[in-house]
Every structure is written in C-alpha cells, then in structure tokens.
C-alpha cells in the first residue's frame, strides 16, 4: 500500500527529525546543549547528526549533508 506516502513529504524541519532542544548551558569549557535528554557539545554527534554550533538560543546540526537548526521553545 502507499498510505505512508506523502505523509513524511516536506517534513524536513528539525522537529520532524524527532530531536528537540531542551536547554543550553554556558560552562567553563564552552556551551553544552541538552537535546532530547542527551548532553552534547560542539563537534559531538547525536544519532546520525553532528553538532556544528551551539548558540545562545539554538543549535545547528548537520544531518547527512543537510544543516538543520533546533531552536529553544518559549520566550525565557
């Protein structure tokens, strides 16, 4: 059947990848990010994605040649 076809189409946002940014911490060795319960820093990988850059309110990930940005939710 082709029921699943089209459902995932165009779902290229970071949220659709199943990862969500929970927090960003400033530390003595630079920033770390809490993504889906995992603490990562720049240069580390989470799943198939590489953490390119951790900003103040967002994290840039490289996923199979595609750069996606996870942004912190809320206005804190």
């Amino acid at each position: 059947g082709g029921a699943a076809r089209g459902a995932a189409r165009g779902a290229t946002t970071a949220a659709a990848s199943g990862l969500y940014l929970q927090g960003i911490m400033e530390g003595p060795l630079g920033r770390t990010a809490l993504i889906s319960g995992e603490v990562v820093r720049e240069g580390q990988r989470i799943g198939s994605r590489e953490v390119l850059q951790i900003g103040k309110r967002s994290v840039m990930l490289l996923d199979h040649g595609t750069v996606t940005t996870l942004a912190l939710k809320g206005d804190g």
Side-chain angles (χ1 to χ4, degrees):
R5 268 170 62 121
R9 208 120 169 82
T12 52
T13 61
S17 71
L19 294 179
Y20 55 99
L21 180 60
Q22 293 173 279
I24 293 173
M25 290 74 67
E26 295 266 3
L29 301 175
R31 293 190 183 109
T32 54
L34 183 64
I35 302 175
S36 300
E38 282 195 56
V39 176
V40 294
R41 44 187 343 117
E42 289 180 4
Q44 288 189 326
R45 300 180 74 83
I46 177 165
S48 63
R49 300 162 186 87
E50 182 182 347
V51 181
L52 290 181
Q53 185 179 0
I54 299 176
K56 286 193 191 305
R57 314 245 335 134
S58 63
V59 175
M60 278 174 51
L61 299 173
L62 182 64
D63 185 8
H64 300 295
T66 303
V67 175
T68 56
T69 301
L70 294 178
L72 276 177
K73 302 281 185 282
D75 41 55

